[in-house]
Amino acid sequence: MIENPKRYTITAALPYTNGPIHIGHLAGVYVPSDIYARYLRLQGKDVAFICGSDEHGVAISMKAKKEGITPQQVIDKYDGIIRKSFEDFGISFDNYSRTSAKIHHETASAFFRKLYENGDFVEEVTEQLYDEQAQQFLADRFVMGTCPKCGNEEAYGDQCEKCGSTLNATDLINPKSTITGTTPVKKETKHWFLPLNRYEAFLREWILEGHKNDWKPNVYGQVKSWVDGGLEPRAVTRDLDWGIDVPVEGAEGKKLYVWFDAPIGYISSTKEWAAREGKDWEPYWKDADTKLVHFIGKDNIVFHCIIFPAMLKAEGSFILPDNVPANEFLNLEGNKLSTSKNWAVWLHEYLIDFPDKQDVLRYALTANAPETKDNDFTWKDFQARNNNELAAIYGNFINRVVVLTNKYYDGIVPQPNEFTEVDEQILAELKAYPAVIASSIERYRFREALGELMNVARLGNKYLADEEPWKMVKTDPERVKTQMYVALQIATALGILSEPFLPFTAKKMVTIFKNDLISWEKVSKSSELVKPGHKIGQAEILFAQIEDAEIQKQIDKLEATKTANKMENKTVEPQKETATFEDFSKLDLRVGTILEAEKMPKANKLLVLKVDTGMDVRTIVSGIAEHFSPEEVVGKRVTVLVNLAPRALRGVESQGMILMTNNAEGKLVFVNPDADGVDNGALIS
């Protein structure tokens, strides 16, 4: 660990521009990295907070093919959506670039050439999967087949999402091209590989020994597993039509593999920022007094802890990350987030549905952050976090302080009188909070840090509840001046300490209390954050209650998505052989009503029904007992095939058939003529 660095380079994983940002991205990467960067700036540190759009690779090509547009149109569309979402949500990047930028192409090409000229690559001719119909080599994500490790029939060419195994496309059993659906063939092609096995000793010393005690267990464990399993050369080039050209002779038609060029995007984005700000970019990447921190999700651990460090080590002039505090995954309402299945809460849609509630989402995602294990986001929890915590604790305290100060002193901070032991204890506790919160942030425990921030609000609420200035003002108004002075110090501190977590709220607090954002350090050192005689503003609602109807709307949206996914994935039975009109006319279909129902003894699937067909009341045995109880079906209007030849089932003669179908969830449903004016016995034709 670097002690007292001169500067900080903070990177947030480059989002793929094949879709918008969702809450999983925010919880895993962008909210924690923003908290960290904002905290450091409040400490007066030199910070470069860097990100950008990842615009190369097969994910972009797949999206372009699916939408029938060019890759350039895909990246321009989603880069615009992502940039605006981040800006509106208050993610405070110092620079947000894109890997399609000229500066990135130049930086990535130069990086490759240096390693190439140093002899750091291995050149090999290997067999890759080739789609003869599409006349192209298949990138990993354009191949699906059966995982050789778990048998999942929908594994991709680079990874099985069921068992998590990393694969090569040629490992798949029964591979199929996702472009044409045909079986690919193997064809020879030349590529360049980074020999990761050369860096095993370095990685063991640097991570497994050097960072054993300060890196998160989930990160350390995954790296150890990879290194212990033995590292192999990994291709840095691919046969693709979208990406950065491989800048060496004999590499025509080949592109840099996206995992190679994307992390270099941090460097090119830093260069872009430095050029704009008139700074030198190199100290932020090459000075030993710089602390480099990568914020990523767990699916990127291998790239940022093994592959990118090996690249930097090979290049020779760059520093290595001091920490890679990767988070686990956030699920949504009990199911895994999925961009392709639209099972997500999209940031740009949230900002429309919940205007001016950026901090509510930031709070909910941080309070439930998947820091050490996968966690679940639910809309009910989101509502409870807002109503029961932000509004009831934080907002309530600030509102009380502002209302009472305006009521008693026309908004002017009163001159305190003698402090009691309680007052002095409260002010001492307040001074301790910046260090407590800072300790949690610097150990990347943002959920813990947020809990301590809320304890500041609880401290203020308890002080007011215990002191009861609204009662004391009638008997000892001089004492109330001291009480309100103390409460105003807590409120001011709360506004300052909130800035990394709740920046929009902190900004409102500056307006309400009419003070500039004081430094983090001053909260722990000064006994007077707001002076007597200072006039504050009027109260405003910081956190409005979120009503049930707003939450139900979001739940209904997800249910509609779930239904649409089931309908999209349903299999439709193929048409049976052609029937003549004469065949159909033999069927006598009537409307009926179920009068009685009981379970068939010793039969799990059968119900014995008494059905009024309009012509008679007859017994029909139906295999629906696993889907309906007898009580559920009594009174149901049904469609009956009445001229089906009688059949004995477990000794009961069945005189017809009830027509059923399956819904999208696989549940049996009556083919039901349930409409007014349709009488039993009506002929269906």
Side-chain angles (χ1 to χ4, degrees):
M1 292 178 64
I2 300 173
E3 299 292 338
N4 302 314
K6 286 185 178 178
R7 67 192 68 77
Y8 293 77
T9 300
I10 304 167
T11 72
L14 308 184
Y16 258 142
T17 46
N18 66 331
I21 294 296
H22 60 58
I23 57 169
H25 302 132
L26 294 173
V29 177
Y30 304 111
V31 170
S33 60
D34 191 56
I35 291 171
Y36 189 63
R38 287 176 177 273
Y39 157 75
L40 290 174
R41 293 192 194 106
L42 271 179
Q43 294 272 36
K45 305 297 185 183
D46 181 359
V47 174
F49 183 19
I50 301 298
C51 194
S53 291
D54 184 354
E55 300 179 320
H56 297 135
V58 70
I60 308 301
S61 299
M62 289 177 73
K63 190 73 172 181
K65 287 182 185 297
K66 185 176 181 180
E67 296 190 5
I69 56 179
T70 66
Q72 188 66 47
Q73 288 173 307
V74 169
I75 65 174
D76 288 345
K77 172 183 175 181
Y78 290 109
D79 176 74
I81 292 172
I82 290 169
R83 280 174 188 272
K84 189 171 191 312
S85 296
F86 279 145
E87 183 180 341
D88 292 347
F89 194 61
I91 303 297
S92 61
F93 297 125
D94 288 300
N95 198 63
Y96 188 86
S97 188
R98 52 192 306 186
T99 59
S100 61
K102 181 182 178 184
I103 193 170
H104 176 68
H105 278 243
E106 292 171 349
T107 303
S109 295
F111 199 105
F112 180 93
R113 275 196 305 272
K114 182 170 182 182
L115 269 59
Y116 175 82
E117 290 164 1
N118 288 347
D120 292 310
F121 294 135
V122 175
E123 186 179 311
E124 287 186 19
V125 175
T126 60
E127 287 188 328
Q128 301 290 328
L129 296 182
Y130 185 83
D131 185 326
E132 292 182 306
Q133 185 174 323
Q135 294 189 324
Q136 68 177 74
F137 283 98
L138 294 173
D140 299 333
R141 287 271 155 170
F142 280 129
V143 187
M144 290 188 76
T146 301
C147 173
K149 298 185 179 180
C150 75
N152 172 29
E153 295 181 355
E154 296 182 347
Y156 287 104
D158 60 346
Q159 185 181 33
C160 173
E161 295 188 349
K162 185 174 181 181
C163 69
S165 297
T166 300
L167 304 170
N168 290 312
T170 50
D171 296 335
L172 293 175
I173 301 167
N174 300 322
K176 296 288 183 186
S177 166
T178 62
I179 300 173
T180 63
T182 60
T183 300
V185 298
K186 290 182 180 179
K187 188 174 179 180
E188 288 189 343
T189 182
K190 180 174 70 175
H191 284 291
W192 288 265
F193 291 74
L194 181 66
L196 294 175
N197 47 302
R198 290 183 190 170
Y199 301 94
E200 276 194 31
F202 150 68
L203 291 168
R204 283 188 182 278
E205 181 183 353
W206 172 55
I207 297 178
L208 301 187
E209 295 176 22
H211 287 293
K212 189 172 186 176
N213 298 319
D214 62 310
W215 280 23
K216 292 170 71 171
N218 57 316
V219 178
Y220 183 87
Q222 192 175 138
V223 173
K224 188 175 188 304
S225 176
W226 263 70
V227 174
D228 288 348
L231 299 177
E232 298 178 357
R234 193 173 179 97
V236 299
T237 61
R238 268 292 185 258
D239 292 291
L240 292 171
D241 58 0
W242 180 252
I244 298 174
D245 293 333
V246 177
V248 297
E249 192 175 337
E252 291 73 21
K254 300 182 189 298
K255 308 290 182 184
L256 296 183
Y257 207 167
V258 66
W259 66 257
F260 182 87
D261 98 77
I264 297 171
Y266 300 138
I267 301 168
S268 59
S269 184
T270 307
K271 286 183 176 181
E272 189 176 78
W273 164 74
R276 186 182 67 243
E277 299 296 323
K279 292 175 176 281
D280 180 4
W281 72 271
E282 291 203 358
Y284 293 88
W285 280 95
K286 298 188 176 185
D287 192 315
D289 286 331
T290 296
K291 184 169 183 172
L292 172 62
V293 182
H294 296 311
F295 283 88
I296 57 169
K298 71 175 177 182
D299 52 337
N300 269 321
I301 289 173
V302 169
F303 297 107
H304 287 74
C305 299
I306 293 178
I307 297 172
F308 190 41
M311 291 164 56
L312 296 174
K313 182 72 173 175
E315 200 279 345
S317 66
F318 287 87
I319 57 172
L320 298 171
D322 185 75
N323 212 311
V324 185
N327 274 354
E328 299 294 290
F329 288 151
L330 184 73
N331 296 321
L332 173 59
E333 299 284 356
N335 293 307
K336 184 179 177 181
L337 280 155
S338 173
T339 300
S340 61
K341 295 178 181 177
N342 195 32
W343 188 254
V345 176
W346 303 106
L347 178 56
H348 66 296
E349 292 182 357
Y350 172 88
L351 293 168
I352 294 170
D353 293 344
F354 293 94
D356 301 320
K357 286 187 170 59
Q358 296 95 328
D359 282 353
V360 179
L361 185 57
R362 289 176 68 106
Y363 180 85
L365 294 177
T366 306
N368 195 33
E371 291 181 345
T372 55
K373 64 181 179 63
D374 291 358
N375 269 355
D376 193 40
F377 176 93
T378 70
W379 279 111
K380 289 292 186 183
D381 179 70
F382 167 83
Q383 181 186 26
R385 298 277 185 191
N386 178 80
N387 294 355
N388 303 338
E389 296 174 24
L390 288 175
I393 299 171
Y394 190 122
N396 179 58
F397 169 62
I398 297 301
N399 187 65
R400 276 177 163 183
V401 172
V402 177
V403 167
L404 292 178
T405 302
N406 277 283
K407 182 177 180 180
Y408 299 156
Y409 313 114
D410 293 324
I412 296 172
V413 178
Q415 179 71 45
N417 294 299
E418 185 177 349
F419 291 122
T420 65
E421 186 177 337
V422 170
D423 300 332
E424 289 176 345
Q425 182 182 338
I426 289 290
L427 291 172
E429 276 189 58
L430 185 62
K431 283 185 178 182
Y433 270 106
V436 171
I437 296 170
S439 174
S440 296
I441 290 176
E442 289 175 2
R443 288 178 291 127
Y444 311 105
R445 296 180 179 179
F446 303 107
R447 189 170 59 197
E448 180 181 276
L450 182 65
E452 294 296 343
L453 174 74
M454 289 300 290
N455 284 339
V456 177
R458 291 186 177 95
L459 178 75
N461 270 325
K462 186 176 187 306
Y463 177 73
L464 288 180
D466 291 347
E467 295 295 309
E468 297 182 311
W470 45 89
K471 290 183 180 178
M472 186 71 69
V473 74
K474 299 172 185 175
T475 58
D476 190 353
E478 289 302 308
R479 170 64 188 147
V480 173
K481 289 179 180 179
T482 307
Q483 292 170 339
M484 293 310 302
Y485 172 87
V486 171
L488 282 158
Q489 304 308 314
I490 300 171
T492 304
L494 182 60
I496 297 160
L497 300 176
S498 295
E499 205 279 338
F501 308 93
L502 309 169
F504 293 87
T505 304
K507 192 173 181 180
K508 288 179 183 177
M509 297 270 275
V510 167
T511 302
I512 292 171
F513 290 98
K514 294 187 176 179
N515 57 6
D516 294 328
L517 201 60
I518 304 165
S519 75
W520 188 277
E521 186 180 26
K522 190 171 181 181
V523 179
S524 60
K525 290 188 174 180
S526 176
S527 298
E528 193 169 73
L529 300 174
V530 58
K531 296 180 180 298
H534 176 78
K535 185 174 175 62
I536 69 170
Q538 296 295 315
E540 64 173 282
I541 296 174
L542 293 177
F543 303 102
Q545 292 283 313
I546 295 176
E547 302 300 332
D548 291 346
E550 296 176 81
I551 297 302
Q552 191 59 49
K553 181 181 175 182
Q554 299 301 322
I555 294 171
D556 291 345
K557 185 191 289 188
L558 288 174
E559 285 301 317
T561 294
K562 191 181 290 185
T563 302
N565 285 335
K566 286 175 180 173
M567 293 299 292
E568 186 176 323
N569 296 325
K570 73 174 183 177
T571 55
V572 178
E573 292 294 323
Q575 180 179 301
K576 296 179 180 179
E577 63 180 84
T578 303
T580 65
F581 180 79
E582 287 72 20
D583 292 333
F584 177 74
S585 64
K586 292 178 183 177
L587 302 177
D588 192 345
L589 300 171
R590 305 280 177 135
V591 175
T593 300
I594 299 174
L595 303 178
E596 300 175 19
E598 62 180 3
K599 281 195 171 182
M600 171 81 78
K602 299 180 181 180
N604 294 330
K605 295 183 179 181
L606 301 178
L607 289 183
V608 181
L609 311 174
K610 293 289 186 184
V611 182
D612 178 359
T613 68
M615 302 180 295
D616 54 23
V617 175
R618 63 178 66 186
T619 299
I620 297 177
V621 180
S622 184
I624 61 174
E626 291 181 328
H627 294 263
F628 300 96
S629 67
E631 295 76 18
E632 282 182 284
V633 300
V634 173
K636 284 279 189 186
R637 308 292 303 284
V638 293
T639 303
V640 188
L641 176 60
V642 294
N643 65 336
L644 182 68
R647 182 183 177 192
L649 294 169
R650 293 184 177 266
V652 177
E653 185 175 75
S654 180
Q655 301 169 305
M657 179 182 288
I658 307 292
L659 270 61
M660 310 290 294
T661 188
N662 292 91
N663 66 10
E665 298 174 352
K667 181 175 172 57
L668 280 180
V669 177
F670 290 99
V671 177
N672 194 349
D674 210 357
D676 292 337
V678 179
D679 296 323
N680 292 344
L683 185 66
I684 297 172
S685 57

